[in-house]
Amino acid sequence: MRAATSLAAVLTLLDFASADWQFRSRSDLAPPRLNITIPATKDADKGYLFIAPFAGYADTPTEQHGPRQAGPYIFRDNGDLVWSGYGLYSIWTTNFQAGRWKGKDVLFSFEGDHNAGYGHGHGHITFLDQRYETIRELRAGNHKLVDKHEFHIVNEETGLIEVYQPVPRDLSAYGGSPEQQWIVNAIIQELDIATGKLLFEWSSLDHISPDEAILPLNPGQAGSGYNSSDAWDYFHINSVDKDASGNYLISARDACAIVKINGTDGSIIWRLNGKRSDFTIPDNAKFCFQHHARWLSQDSTNGIEIISLYDNAAHGSEHGTGREVHTADQSSGKILRLDTNKWTAELVQGYYPPKGYKLLSKSQGSTQVLPSGNVLVNWGSEGAVTEYTQDGTPVFHAWVESGYLGLGVENYRAFKFNWTGLPNEEIAVAALEGGDGETTVYASWNGDTETSVWRFYEVTDRFGSRAFLGEVERTGFETKLVVKGRVGRVEAEAVDEKGRVLRVSGEVGVVREVLQAGKGRGVRGGEWEAAKQKVLDGEKKGSRWEEYGILKFFRIVKDL
């Protein structure tokens, strides 16, 4: 075990190094690197990927997993970073997406704490505008705490949230001992985004009996009820939607049910799946421990409702110590057709892991139907995302982190949206002088979606006179220009596709380039892979890694 632990520590160091060094103009950023295994085809939908990956396992002194800068991110589907929200959202974030509020495009995300053992989180919803400035923080009404699972904008004016409210109850009817007295009252609220006014509230214990739980109080897979932090989460709401008639659709993960409730009095209109389903459901349309239920269409005349959901088909703790429950051998995205006249449900289309992939997520997940009809499935605790055409053909697949850091990475929901970003922050520029007499100038602008060309200039005097150095088409998050010979101070201009100058950077001086160990001209080929192989060879021979692993790693790099 010592050898395995220290091997993990050394290989983690190698991947930490590759997480760094991504951008010379923004050396402070170490975003996740998408591991794209099915490159986006011509049939992939237009738009940017919105994700907020994090480590599913806690860091230890010798082993780390997941992105080094967990936070909200926008990527192109070729893996290029568009925006890092690390630092703008300064605490744990999830359910990151774009939306519209009062006629304007906004970003929003849950921001707060994260309890991995119970799958809860408490905090608030933070809104940013197109310039990535905070414009609103929204909290729950009635002295309650917003949970991480849901925020959904309705009609550009109101927002749907859910709350986990632990309350004491007599649980003896459900097998509880006298000491087991705590249960989660799952609550939904609709709030006016501008004022925070509470418009509607619904509580599960007022309408749904705990005997509908799929996971019983004992042996405690959904909480044991001994205290408020360990309350029995018998229902576990993880998504809320609202239709044009004012009714609500809620996903109750731990009841394996989707429930439609009356938006006036809160009464149950119907249950889909679970112990008291109102529908006859064929095996291929059944689901359990699901997430992210959304209405796609409703035909009230004929009693037809089409919904999408993510079928986890598994339940387990994020930290890996809980007993897992499986109802299928893989998770999937599903679109279901419900007939409320005949009370039948049928599978319209299922979206299953691409051939050769086994994806069974014990927690989290989402299914988004895109404007083209394509479907984006996020595999939750498996840390992957796949886009499909309407008929289920995969046209894109990526893991949301690469290498050793990809082990244990998770992502609650993923989305694809069109987005226009016009950052308020300044352009970042770095000018590095190499040993060969060349100067390389780098420019980036975090969150910018409009720049198509970068122009670079040398500042020639103290009055700001400039000499043109060159022009380069934007190549990704960061673009560079190589200049023969030495230059003095430099600056950059961001230019859009119509030739308009969007922003001019400040001046920066030229500094001596420092090459990444294993990547530069002073190091022979093989780079990190050779270092990794020597680490592995040393493990096979039985080295004292606990004491000397890190030192040996640095000696290996030096020897390459």
Side-chain angles (χ1 to χ4, degrees):
M1 179 61 71
R2 281 173 73 95
T5 300
S6 47
L7 173 61
V10 175
L11 293 182
T12 299
L13 281 174
L14 292 162
D15 273 321
F16 278 3
S18 57
D20 298 330
W21 297 92
Q22 295 188 58
F23 309 116
R24 294 306 186 95
S25 60
R26 290 298 305 269
S27 60
D28 57 323
L29 297 183
R33 298 161 299 140
L34 300 187
N35 178 13
I36 299 172
T37 56
I38 301 177
T41 73
K42 62 179 179 58
D43 294 320
D45 208 65
K46 305 300 181 184
Y48 300 106
L49 285 171
F50 287 66
I51 60 174
F54 63 97
Y57 306 120
D59 285 355
T60 72
T62 58
E63 189 168 354
Q64 290 81 39
H65 297 282
R68 294 299 83 202
Q69 294 181 347
Y73 289 92
I74 303 174
F75 283 94
R76 290 182 171 83
D77 59 16
N78 65 358
D80 283 345
L81 176 69
V82 174
W83 181 71
S84 166
Y86 184 73
L88 286 98
Y89 286 93
S90 57
I91 47 182
W92 194 83
T93 56
T94 198
N95 192 34
F96 170 58
Q97 52 189 295
R100 287 184 64 80
W101 175 40
K102 297 194 297 187
K104 295 182 178 180
D105 292 333
V106 295
L107 301 176
F108 60 86
S109 180
F110 169 86
E111 185 174 20
D113 80 336
H114 170 53
N115 184 329
Y118 293 92
H120 297 173
H122 303 95
H124 57 270
I125 309 301
T126 300
F127 294 77
L128 306 182
D129 62 15
Q130 288 180 278
R131 298 190 179 278
Y132 305 99
E133 298 288 348
T134 300
I135 55 174
R136 183 79 174 99
E137 289 184 353
L138 185 65
R139 290 167 173 80
N142 264 359
H143 314 291
K144 295 180 174 67
L145 300 173
V146 174
D147 182 76
K148 68 181 184 180
H149 284 87
E150 183 65 285
F151 182 78
H152 185 45
I153 295 177
V154 178
N155 294 328
E156 299 189 15
E157 297 289 342
T158 66
L160 303 175
I161 65 167
E162 48 82 31
V163 173
Y164 290 111
Q165 187 81 355
V167 294
R169 293 288 189 274
D170 179 358
L171 301 179
S172 58
Y174 312 105
S177 68
E179 293 78 23
Q180 291 174 289
Q181 296 181 294
W182 289 89
I183 189 170
V184 174
N185 191 18
I187 296 170
I188 68 168
Q189 292 185 347
E190 183 171 4
L191 304 167
D192 182 288
I193 297 173
T195 66
K197 180 181 179 181
L198 178 62
L199 305 175
F200 180 81
E201 182 174 273
W202 182 91
S203 302
S204 64
L205 285 174
D206 293 338
H207 301 276
I208 304 288
S209 170
D211 62 12
E212 292 192 38
I214 297 297
L215 298 175
L217 175 59
N218 293 307
Q221 291 155 310
S224 300
Y226 287 103
N227 55 62
S228 62
S229 298
D230 188 37
W232 179 28
D233 193 3
Y234 83 102
F235 203 57
H236 192 97
I237 296 176
N238 56 30
S239 72
V240 192
D241 198 4
K242 187 180 183 180
D243 66 10
S245 300
N247 300 317
Y248 298 89
L249 188 75
I250 61 176
S251 167
R253 168 173 163 85
D254 288 353
C256 293
I258 306 296
V259 183
K260 183 179 181 179
I261 63 175
N262 187 295
T264 301
D265 61 15
S267 59
I268 306 299
I269 296 176
W270 50 249
R271 295 171 173 83
L272 173 67
N273 212 44
K275 290 184 176 181
R276 294 183 56 186
S277 180
D278 293 299
F279 295 85
T280 300
I281 310 173
D283 287 344
N284 67 350
K286 290 180 179 178
F287 54 87
C288 205
F289 306 120
Q290 74 289 336
H291 283 78
H292 200 218
R294 290 286 189 260
W295 271 304
L296 300 180
S297 66
Q298 293 174 290
D299 178 0
S300 58
T301 301
N302 296 302
I304 303 300
E305 304 189 39
I306 309 296
I307 66 170
S308 62
L309 59 87
Y310 179 76
D311 178 15
N312 291 74
H315 185 285
S317 59
E318 292 180 27
H319 51 62
T321 60
R323 281 177 286 180
E324 294 190 359
V325 179
H326 300 164
T327 58
D329 60 1
Q330 60 187 354
S331 300
S332 60
K334 288 182 176 177
I335 296 177
L336 304 180
R337 181 181 186 273
L338 314 180
D339 188 328
T340 59
N341 290 327
K342 299 178 180 178
W343 295 106
T344 58
E346 63 177 295
L347 179 70
V348 176
Q349 183 67 56
Y351 300 92
Y352 305 99
K355 186 177 180 180
Y357 294 77
K358 180 176 175 58
L359 297 168
L360 182 66
S361 48
K362 60 189 180 296
S363 66
Q364 309 162 79
S366 59
T367 299
Q368 180 194 18
V369 178
L370 301 170
S372 67
N374 282 9
V375 173
L376 188 73
V377 176
N378 169 64
W379 303 97
S381 58
E382 292 292 281
V385 60
T386 310
E387 183 178 340
Y388 301 85
T389 55
Q390 194 168 4
D391 65 2
T393 302
V395 292
F396 172 79
H397 180 86
W399 306 93
V400 295
E401 181 56 285
S402 299
Y404 193 79
L405 294 178
L407 300 178
V409 67
E410 302 185 0
N411 186 64
Y412 174 54
R413 286 177 176 173
F415 298 93
K416 206 169 190 182
F417 295 111
N418 292 319
W419 174 251
T420 301
L422 304 166
N424 262 351
E425 70 174 69
E426 296 301 318
I427 294 169
V429 178
L432 305 178
E433 181 184 351
D436 52 8
E438 293 181 338
T439 300
T440 305
V441 188
Y442 299 84
S444 65
W445 197 11
N446 188 29
D448 162 51
T449 61
E450 301 307 291
T451 297
S452 61
V453 170
W454 286 100
R455 293 176 184 155
F456 297 92
Y457 299 87
E458 180 180 14
V459 180
T460 57
D461 59 34
R462 62 189 179 92
F463 302 107
S465 301
R466 304 189 305 177
F468 182 66
L469 293 175
E471 179 177 286
V472 183
E473 287 190 9
R474 179 180 182 163
T475 55
F477 182 83
E478 182 177 69
T479 300
K480 69 179 182 180
L481 172 72
V482 178
V483 180
K484 298 294 184 181
R486 296 182 177 182
V487 298
R489 301 183 65 79
V490 298
E491 64 182 28
E493 285 182 347
V495 183
D496 71 10
E497 62 181 8
K498 295 182 179 180
R500 296 174 298 193
V501 176
L502 301 174
R503 185 75 63 89
V504 181
S505 75
E507 300 175 18
V508 300
V510 178
V511 299
R512 183 72 175 177
E513 183 177 17
V514 176
L515 298 176
Q516 180 185 358
K519 295 291 185 180
R521 288 175 288 273
V523 180
R524 294 190 300 273
E527 303 162 348
W528 297 111
E529 293 306 317
K532 287 185 180 182
Q533 189 57 51
K534 286 197 174 186
V535 168
L536 292 168
D537 292 343
E539 273 304 319
K540 294 173 184 177
K541 296 174 183 177
S543 302
R544 295 176 64 191
W545 284 105
E546 285 292 327
E547 293 84 2
Y548 303 117
I550 293 176
L551 293 176
K552 183 168 184 177
F553 158 69
F554 284 113
R555 290 200 302 271
I556 289 169
V557 172
K558 182 179 179 182
D559 290 343
L560 282 176

